[in-house]
Amino acid sequence: AETENLELRQKADGLRYAVKGHLRRNEEQLKGDDATEVRETVESDLKTLTDALKGDDYDAIRSAYDDLMVSQGEIGRYLYKR
């Protein structure tokens, strides 16, 4: 279980880093009113994961990781539609 928790923490931290970069790189495209909901959802999920990573509740980390995986996919779909 210890190894799984460590792997989860590493995956979650990697996702957090990647999504922050993705938001930065696509900042201009995500400024429109039609992007507000997508951007705010991702930012909220990002904060939730960041907060979860400060503790040792691995169920919370997994849940926040899963939520961010889903919401960050919405950015890709939004950008693809443009």
Side-chain angles (χ1 to χ4, degrees):
E2 182 103 10
T3 302
E4 283 179 26
N5 290 342
L6 180 59
E7 288 174 0
L8 172 62
R9 186 175 288 281
Q10 289 172 336
K11 278 181 20 180
D13 197 45
L15 177 63
R16 190 174 64 90
Y17 179 80
V19 170
K20 285 170 94 173
H22 197 55
L23 286 172
R24 255 192 321 276
R25 284 188 304 278
N26 294 288
E27 187 175 359
E28 288 302 313
Q29 294 93 322
L30 295 170
K31 279 192 175 175
D33 288 343
D34 57 336
T36 300
E37 184 179 343
V38 171
R39 188 183 65 249
E40 287 178 352
T41 300
V42 172
E43 288 172 348
S44 175
D45 290 347
L46 186 59
K47 182 181 180 336
T48 300
L49 180 57
T50 298
D51 292 345
L53 284 167
K54 293 176 183 172
D56 291 325
D57 182 345
Y58 289 95
D59 289 335
I61 294 171
R62 183 173 312 286
S63 177
Y65 174 85
D66 291 344
D67 289 346
L68 185 56
M69 283 294 290
V70 170
S71 65
Q72 65 97 24
E74 292 299 317
I75 290 176
R77 280 187 279 287
Y78 173 82
L79 293 173
Y80 180 76
K81 286 192 291 185
R82 296 191 86 209

